[in-house]
Amino acid sequence: MTCLRWSKSPRDTGLDVRSSTHEAPEDDRFVRNAGLLWDSRSARTRRVYNRQLARCCVRILLLSDIHANLEALEACLAAAPSFDLAVNLGDIVGYGASPNEVTSRCRDLGKVFVRGNHDKAATGLLDLDDFNPMAAAAAIWTRDELTSENLEWLRALPQGPVSVEGFPEVQLVHGSPIDEDGYVVSLGDALAPLITLTVPLTFFGHTHLQGGFFASASAADGFRPEYRSIGQAESVALQLKSDTRYLINPGSVGQPRDGDWRAAFALFDTEAQTVHFHRAPYNLKDAQDRINAANLPSRLATRLAAGR
């Protein structure tokens, strides 16, 4: 069954972003990202429809890089709009002090997962030589802390790309579609997969940076959601365009590194062809206290407040 839904866009350039402290209103202004600026009250609109991505309406909750931060995960779930499916882009554990609680919560929450490099490190699948001392210490602590059941479950997580049943136009990875541990930070990093991909929409994590990249026949660029505060629950809506390929990062739930301490996640509406980026404040002190009580490196606690 195919669900047709038309959507408005200011121009067919591949990107349409709206910001809101709740849900983005229809008449809100478009914000500037990656050198592009649109205003819904003045720009000439036209109807576009991405036939490549059309399916029956499913709202997919996108979680990534939770890093054993239980307080951040619970805040995201409390702030998330209703959803039909939850997917996880990896790094369930590492850095944080609640690996068993977070792993168990994730297992109950969904069935679609991709393994991350910290999941591999904590379960002995990845050599720690490439980890900095702080990350390596957290991986060793996590390995000793995990129950045998959770450790084996994490070890069995699949390597990306992973598809979403019923949506062959969507794929999930942790790092890059080309290298599961590769970092996609710049447009230069993104161009090779964007050019070579046959799948128009890829969700990825690993960088802890909310936003992403797009490429169409006429343009390619990066984008980041822009928020109005640093302390409230907020969302920014991205309208997907036809004939455009995307690499989209929902951000890190448990250890953001974009200068915003709030937990990050996203929601993809398959019918409206909209990705809603979200930020949610959480009990930062409790998360920090857990890390300090576990005698993990103190920097893992202090960095949470800075979002770095």
Side-chain angles (χ1 to χ4, degrees), residues 15-298:
L15 191 63
D16 168 356
V17 183
R18 292 175 290 177
S19 178
S20 173
T21 53
H22 302 290
E23 291 294 326
E26 190 65 27
D27 63 347
D28 204 4
R29 293 179 65 91
F30 294 98
V31 302
R32 186 179 184 91
N33 270 305
L36 305 175
L37 178 65
W38 301 298
D39 188 332
S40 63
R41 292 173 295 184
S42 62
R44 183 172 57 187
T45 64
R46 70 186 191 85
R47 288 150 63 105
V48 297
Y49 169 58
N50 190 341
R51 296 184 181 276
Q52 285 184 297
L53 295 173
R55 283 295 183 274
C56 291
C57 180
V58 175
R59 293 166 65 85
I60 301 176
L61 179 66
L62 299 153
L63 303 172
S64 188
D65 298 280
I66 303 170
H67 283 294
N69 188 333
L70 181 63
E71 288 75 18
L73 174 60
E74 293 295 357
C76 288
L77 296 178
S82 60
F83 58 91
D84 306 295
L85 174 69
V87 303
N88 192 305
L89 305 181
D91 277 1
I92 293 170
V93 298
Y95 296 133
S98 302
N100 284 306
E101 296 89 336
V102 167
T103 301
S104 297
R105 191 75 169 95
C106 289
R107 294 175 65 177
D108 292 339
L109 187 62
K111 299 182 181 301
V112 184
F113 298 89
V114 177
R115 70 184 184 183
N117 57 315
H118 284 263
D119 304 323
K120 293 191 294 180
T123 57
L125 294 177
L126 183 67
D127 195 295
L128 297 179
D129 289 347
D130 292 334
F131 273 36
N132 64 54
M134 184 170 60
I140 294 170
W141 179 89
T142 299
R143 189 181 306 171
D144 294 338
E145 189 74 12
L146 284 168
T147 66
S148 58
E149 181 181 0
N150 282 335
L151 188 145
E152 291 304 320
W153 182 83
L154 286 166
R155 182 179 287 151
L157 289 177
Q159 176 179 346
V162 167
S163 61
V164 179
E165 184 178 1
F167 296 90
E169 305 86 353
V170 178
Q171 67 176 358
L172 313 174
V173 300
H174 180 64
S176 165
I178 298 172
D179 176 2
E180 66 170 333
D181 296 329
Y183 286 91
V184 183
V185 177
S186 67
L187 181 59
D189 300 326
L191 279 178
L194 283 172
I195 291 171
T196 59
L197 284 176
T198 58
V199 178
L201 180 57
T202 299
F203 291 109
F204 73 103
H206 198 33
T207 66
H208 299 211
L209 302 173
Q210 194 177 57
F213 306 90
F214 74 92
S216 65
S218 60
D221 212 334
F223 54 89
R224 297 276 174 84
E226 294 184 357
Y227 296 99
R228 296 172 176 172
S229 77
I230 57 171
Q232 302 178 43
E234 292 185 79
S235 68
V236 172
L238 169 69
Q239 182 68 58
L240 303 183
K241 302 298 192 303
S242 60
D243 301 320
T244 301
R245 293 178 180 179
Y246 294 90
L247 287 168
I248 294 179
N249 191 325
S252 171
V253 171
Q255 197 191 80
R257 295 179 186 169
D258 53 8
D260 188 332
W261 68 275
R262 295 172 294 179
F265 67 97
L267 188 82
F268 173 44
D269 188 318
T270 63
E271 184 182 29
Q273 288 299 285
T274 304
V275 176
H276 290 267
F277 296 104
H278 289 264
R279 299 309 280 246
Y282 69 96
N283 193 326
L284 182 65
K285 185 178 184 303
D286 279 2
Q288 293 175 319
D289 287 346
R290 284 181 189 263
I291 291 172
N292 291 324
N295 292 317
L296 286 162
S298 60

